[in-house]
Amino acid sequence: MTTASCRKCRDEVIWWAFFINIGQTTYKGVLGALSGSAALIADAMHSGADVVATMVTMFSVKVSDKPADDHYPFGYGNIQFIASSIVGLILFFGAMYLMYDSTMQIIAGNTESPSAFAVLGAIVSIATNELMFRYQNCVGRQNNSPAIIANAWDNRSDALSSVAVLIGIVAAVAGFPIADRLAAIGVGILVAKIGIELNVDAIGGLMDSSVENDVLVDAYHIAKESQHVHGVHYIRGRNVGEDVHLDINIYVDADLKVFESDLIADGIRRKIEAEVDHVRDVHVGVTPVRVAA
């Protein structure tokens, strides 16, 4: 259940991510340059892309809060899927560049071992990004926000890439200098994979893929167990950003008056919106049926 505390975290978490990513870009970039670690510099570039991604998320969450109007009668929520896709594209194309640059450096023979001091940068990055992933993922799930969830996975991808960086730096310091460049390529592969997955999820949201089955089941039981309802004809739903819209058709006794059917439908709508998380708009239609005596 989404609480007031969850909504408060929603407004704060993106700013935390923004400033932490700026800090990570700075310290990993400086430490990578001082230690001579190509993998750590590549990781700093990844964090730099995270800053841009977080700005996109900020914008999308702000816009998605706008109420529906004549131009967008279902609201602005789907902009969060667009933002999720943009974050994914930033990650994917940034990863392509990292892999290309590291491959060219290996071909050119630029495989010097970095300073052991670079290990510190990778360890701090792993811890910081994993904590930010857990925080943002919790906030995103509780608020059903695809943009914040995408930003959380951006931090998880940074944590995973820093693990690859750490392995590469340790191996390079131990006497295998090419490992530092190979780690940078490994970073690129992990980041590209997450970028593709974010776009697949975003496309599913924009194409009105069905909502989670638990939401449909809960709404179905509320409708079916309501007084004077003889069954549920169909139920379907779609995600509109953070909100879930449902379309339900119920069977009612054909002898009921129109206003009585309307009251039943309205009662079901109110109960579903009150009891099922993230559901903000429910349309309940009625189909009259003859009930055997």
Side-chain angles (χ1 to χ4, degrees):
M1 181 68 69
T2 303
T3 64
S5 176
C6 292
R7 299 296 293 180
K8 184 173 183 289
C9 286
R10 173 185 180 272
D11 297 331
E12 296 176 351
V13 67
I14 305 174
W15 286 104
W16 277 104
F18 180 67
F19 289 115
I20 286 175
N21 284 330
I22 289 177
Q24 288 198 110
T25 302
T26 302
Y27 88 77
K28 284 191 286 190
V30 171
L31 200 57
L34 292 176
S35 64
S37 172
L40 196 56
I41 292 174
D43 211 17
M45 293 174 64
H46 182 193
S47 293
D50 291 349
V51 174
V52 178
T54 303
M55 292 174 67
V56 171
T57 303
M58 284 180 180
F59 174 76
S60 72
V61 170
K62 184 70 174 178
V63 172
S64 71
D65 283 339
K66 293 177 64 176
D69 52 33
D70 291 340
H71 198 52
Y72 293 101
F74 291 101
Y76 291 77
N78 276 347
I79 194 172
Q80 293 208 23
F81 291 116
I82 297 173
S84 179
S85 177
I86 292 173
V87 171
L89 290 173
I90 290 172
L91 291 177
F92 180 78
F93 287 110
M96 292 298 102
Y97 173 77
L98 293 179
M99 288 188 282
Y100 171 79
D101 182 66
S102 296
T103 301
M104 291 299 101
Q105 293 296 332
I106 291 174
I107 293 173
N110 298 328
T111 56
E112 296 181 1
S113 295
S115 166
F117 192 52
V119 170
L120 176 62
I123 292 174
V124 172
S125 178
I126 293 168
T128 303
N129 281 294
E130 183 61 22
L131 287 173
M132 281 306 301
F133 164 76
R134 291 170 184 260
Y135 179 28
Q136 289 191 96
N137 193 51
C138 174
V139 174
R141 298 290 178 192
Q142 289 297 321
N143 289 281
N144 200 38
S145 171
I148 294 177
I149 291 172
N151 214 47
W153 279 100
D154 197 358
N155 279 107
R156 168 56 67 84
S157 74
D158 212 345
L160 293 173
S161 68
S162 294
V163 171
V165 168
L166 178 61
I167 294 171
I169 292 172
V170 170
V173 171
F176 302 94
I178 195 174
D180 188 52
R181 297 290 181 184
L182 292 176
I185 295 174
V187 169
I189 293 172
L190 289 171
V191 173
K193 179 178 180 292
I194 291 175
I196 292 171
E197 290 172 347
L198 288 178
N199 270 278
V200 169
D201 290 343
I203 290 170
L206 290 171
M207 292 294 290
D208 287 342
S209 60
S210 184
V211 300
E212 291 185 7
N213 194 54
D214 288 347
V215 172
L216 296 178
V217 170
D218 289 345
Y220 172 85
H221 284 302
I222 289 173
K224 189 175 185 300
E225 294 166 9
S226 296
Q227 192 174 12
H228 304 301
V229 173
H230 298 289
V232 177
H233 185 194
Y234 63 79
I235 179 170
R236 59 194 177 199
R238 63 174 179 152
N239 291 294
V240 181
E242 297 177 5
D243 299 338
V244 174
H245 291 196
L246 296 179
D247 187 13
I248 305 172
N249 190 275
I250 58 174
Y251 292 118
V252 298
D253 194 329
D255 292 331
L256 289 176
K257 293 180 173 59
V258 172
F259 82 90
E260 292 175 322
S261 297
D262 288 343
L263 288 174
I264 293 169
D266 188 59
I268 292 171
R269 177 186 64 80
R270 292 175 182 273
K271 189 173 178 63
I272 291 174
E273 290 180 355
E275 296 184 9
V276 183
D277 278 350
H278 312 303
V279 174
R280 299 289 181 269
D281 187 34
V282 182
H283 176 264
V284 183
V286 297
T287 299
V289 293
R290 290 292 175 185
V291 181

